[in-house]
């Protein structure tokens, strides 16, 4: 009887606030970055989707509060940042990463930076066995994860289907072997 009175007077609320809320907060997914890989005979094309609310920690400047002002203010420094944190190599040879094309998708707290980059293999490099080097955001945000998908691989006959997960990158895993 005492227990029933306690429950009816807010005991369930106390239980939820004490035990349920902390666990429900853990259930919210953290925004992750996505990378889609497209191949051609000279190298790779990458399309990145980076949550601004995580990118600002890796980049070191506020981005998420005003997504519409990000590119007018910071397009060149953001491009430099990406070029410093993305690379590729095969057979001991480093690839050239060309300047990205940037756009912001969204206008609120869930806005993302979309970056399209070309990674060009040096002459004679193996374009089918490549190590993708990547630590955008993850060099600073140790809980951040990056999903890498193969979207199109013309030489391998993968075109236009559902992208295949190639792997995950995080603070512990900053390189991913792409054996195409």
């Amino acid at each position: 009887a005492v227990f029933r009175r306690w429950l009816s007077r807010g005991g369930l609320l106390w239980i939820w606030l004490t035990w349920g809320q902390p666990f429900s907060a853990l259930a919210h997914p953290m925004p992750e970055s996505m990378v889609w890989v497209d191949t051609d005979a000279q190298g790779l094309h990458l399309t990145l989707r980076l949550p601004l609310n995580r990118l600002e920690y890796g980049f070191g400047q506020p981005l998420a509060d005003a997504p519409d002002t990000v590119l007018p203010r910071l397009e060149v420094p953001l491009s430099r940042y990406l070029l410093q944190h993305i690379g590729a190599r095969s057979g001991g040879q480093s690839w050239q990463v060309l300047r990205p094309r940037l756009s912001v998708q969204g206008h609120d707290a869930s806005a993302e930076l979309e970056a399209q980059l070309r990674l060009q293999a040096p002459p004679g490099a193996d374009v089918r066995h490549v190590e993708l080097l990547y630590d955008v955001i993850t060099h600073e945000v140790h809980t951040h994860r990056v999903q890498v998908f193969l979207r199109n691989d013309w030489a391998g006959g993968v075109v236009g289907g559902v992208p295949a997960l190639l792997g995950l990158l995080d603070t512990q895993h900053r390189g991913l072997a792409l054996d195409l």
Side-chain angles (χ1 to χ4, degrees):
V2 173
F3 182 69
R4 281 190 199 151
R5 272 184 282 166
W6 178 75
L7 283 177
S8 68
R9 291 186 181 160
L12 284 176
L13 178 61
W14 180 85
I15 290 170
W16 181 80
L17 288 173
T18 304
W19 294 102
Q21 192 174 12
F23 293 113
S24 65
L26 293 174
H28 295 288
M30 298 289 289
E32 294 182 338
S33 294
M34 310 282 270
V35 175
W36 289 275
V37 177
D38 298 293
T39 69
D40 65 26
Q42 289 78 39
L44 304 174
H45 294 269
L46 302 181
T47 302
L48 287 58
R49 294 294 293 253
L50 311 167
L52 289 180
N53 62 3
R54 295 295 174 256
L55 179 59
E56 66 186 7
Y57 293 107
F59 181 61
Q61 292 191 38
L63 303 171
D65 290 340
D68 295 328
T69 69
V70 167
L71 291 182
R73 290 184 301 118
L74 300 167
E75 184 171 7
V76 171
L78 278 167
S79 293
R80 269 193 241 120
Y81 168 79
L82 293 175
L83 292 172
Q84 291 171 350
H85 294 276
I86 298 172
R89 65 178 170 220
S90 58
Q93 295 181 294
S94 293
W95 290 32
Q96 180 181 12
V97 183
L98 303 179
R99 185 175 175 184
R101 287 182 303 165
L102 304 178
S103 62
V104 173
Q105 306 299 317
H107 305 282
D108 58 16
S110 66
E112 298 177 314
L113 180 71
E114 181 175 287
Q116 296 183 17
L117 299 104
R118 176 151 173 68
L119 284 69
Q120 192 167 325
D126 186 352
V127 296
R128 304 299 296 161
H129 298 90
V130 181
E131 182 180 16
L132 177 63
L133 307 169
Y134 186 103
D135 71 349
V136 175
I137 302 174
T138 61
H139 70 98
E140 288 291 332
V141 182
H142 298 284
T143 58
H144 193 71
R145 293 179 358 149
V146 181
Q147 297 182 44
V148 181
F149 295 92
L150 178 64
R151 185 168 47 192
N152 292 302
D153 178 17
W154 291 91
V158 177
V159 180
V162 175
L165 181 65
L166 294 173
L168 297 173
L169 297 165
D170 57 29
T171 194
Q172 301 293 322
H173 305 95
R174 297 177 181 205
L176 181 63
L178 306 179
D179 294 315
L180 304 169

